[in-house]
Amino acid sequence: MERTTTAAAVAALLAAAALGLAPHQAQAATAPTVAAAADTSAAASGLSFHDIPGSGGITLKGNVFTPAGAQSGRTYPLIVLPTSWGMPQIEYIAQAKKLADSGYVVVSYTSRGFWLSGGQIEVAGPPDIADVSAVIDWALAHTPADADRIGLGGVSYAAGISLLASAHDPRVKAVVAMSGWADLIESIYSGRTQHLQAAGLLGAAGYLTGRPGPELQSLLGDFLGSRLDREQQMIEWGRKRSAAEQVDRINANGAAIMLGNAWGDTIFPPNQYAKFYERLTGPKRLEFRPGDHATAEGTGLLGLPNDTWTNAHRWFDRYLKGERNGIDTEAPVQVKSRSNNGYEGYADWKSVGSGGTEKLALSDSEHVFANIDSGANGGIVLLSSVLDQFVKAPPAASIPLLPRAFAAVWQSERYDAARRIRGTVELHTTVTPTKGDGTFVAYLYDVGPLGIGKLVSNAPYTFHGKTPGQPFGVDLELFSTAYDVPAGHRLALVVDTVDPLYIEHNPTGAQLTFSSPRTDPSYVSVPLREQ
């Protein structure tokens, strides 16, 4: 093939991504350049672009970094990085170069169905998992990769694919899964509620940058259209794409698994990652930080200093190179509070709330009319939690001004000492609906002296087929978090029925009553850090 500069290929791909070109437009704009760059190298950087055979006869667009001065006949540990949802193959250029500079062969490729890679979007289906093994096979045949030292990793979509691939390919020795999912159902259908903004964003990005297959198109329509008659099929589809369903195979293969996520991830909330982590039996590490989806590791993709990527490199160094760098002797659960900048280490996830739980009694019966947004909400996907991450400004509401006809409100007494919330807040209550279907959203707020509440956590809950007028019990986990409530503040639980983040299922005129029977009192259980 005719040679050209790597810089030109990268520039063309960056331009296509920046302009938001659809895949067929991008192909027309960049195909000649990429084709010319395929299988050619930039000697100084060790970078080359390749057409890599994927599973089922498709072609994956990929690039390879090799260590500078790689010696003939010597092999190096291999790291494979599939791209995130909607991202082109240059996503990991900065980190891949750093890894190659430290002695790795790094292969990154555009996931099937996106941009110039072949096939259709399978959402981490069997063809995607087979692609990972095909890329490993290709790397072992065409690069100085070591078959006994293979790692997988990446952000978001790549994290989900990597975890699933570690269940199917025993050659994988280490995985770093950042801002990903282990349970797809618990991620975008928690509380039996469609996470509207998250699913809508993923769907739109898929159509703009890739080619959704008929199955995905049908499923998105059913999901967003609230097709309850298709609910079980959608759940089964999601389970097949959830590493939590294959944890026994992952444990049997023995790969060292590092998981990282943000407290405010509005696409893949942290609860499901923590539950998955607890079921892993091999070497493992769990990191939670402030932020939203992929924002905790985002600066690292630009080559800037980044804690998540620093620890990812350390994880690979320990389990692919055998370096005694101390990461395996540190407390395996590392969390950073949304309220301060320090890290806290714990022996396991259950120890995060080892200071005990504080129960707030919800003794007053509250009655709300549905279908109206009270003003309490979880914010905006990929925006609100970023503001919390960088300027500590989570979604807020004036608790005294919330209309009590549309919002149930319970408040604690003012605290004379700070409360360090760590882990998963749980709500237990009794609900009596006037209709058989319905949705409500629970919010926990940190309320200051002026009555302004800052959102600590939230979660939705949907029910179907209940008997109108008949009470039923609800146990709801709010999204896990780490948040410090200052002395002089109080906690407030707010429940309403409409939130732009979620699809609600309240029929016109529906009403909900939240009560606390003497034989089954309602409460909020708040896990606290050990003092």
Side-chain angles (χ1 to χ4, degrees), residues 9 11 24 113 147 162 174 192 244 263 270 272 277 289 328 335 421 435 439 452 457 472 474-475 487 506 518:
H24 65 280
S162 295
R192 207 180 176 186
W263 294 120
Q272 46 92 31
Y277 169 84
R289 299 176 176 83
D328 56 327
V335 304
I421 300 173
K435 306 286 186 179
T439 297
I452 301 300
S457 185
F472 63 93
V474 170
D475 288 290
N506 298 296
R518 182 176 301 176

Side-chain angles (χ1 to χ4, degrees), residues 1 3 34-41 48-52 62 138 142:
M1 281 187 179
R3 291 182 175 271
V34 177
D39 301 312
T40 65
S41 300
S48 57
F49 289 88
H50 301 266
D51 288 345
I52 302 175
W138 180 89
H142 295 86

Side-chain angles (χ1 to χ4, degrees), residues 30 83 124 280 284 422 427 431 486 491:
T30 66
T83 58
L280 293 171
K284 59 183 180 178
R422 299 291 186 274
L427 166 65
V431 181
L491 286 172

Side-chain angles (χ1 to χ4, degrees), residues 306-389:
N306 181 279
D307 290 350
T308 309
W309 280 103
T310 295
N311 288 337
H313 288 231
R314 294 175 65 213
W315 192 255
F316 284 134
D317 288 346
R318 174 66 187 89
Y319 291 102
L320 296 183
K321 289 183 178 180
E323 293 183 2
R324 298 289 179 178
N325 55 20
I327 195 167
D328 56 327
T329 61
E330 297 171 357
V333 175
Q334 295 285 326
V335 304
K336 179 185 284 190
S337 168
R338 292 162 50 200
S339 308
N340 58 62
N341 294 320
Y343 283 94
E344 302 165 6
Y346 299 91
D348 51 34
W349 173 247
K350 289 178 288 188
S351 300
V352 171
S354 59
T357 58
E358 182 171 300
K359 282 192 175 181
L360 308 180
L362 310 179
S363 54
D364 297 331
S365 180
E366 296 282 345
H367 182 86
V368 298
F369 293 88
N371 310 115
I372 301 294
D373 189 344
S374 71
N377 66 68
I380 300 172
V381 67
L382 292 184
L383 176 60
S384 298
S385 294
V386 172
L387 293 175
D388 183 37
Q389 176 183 0

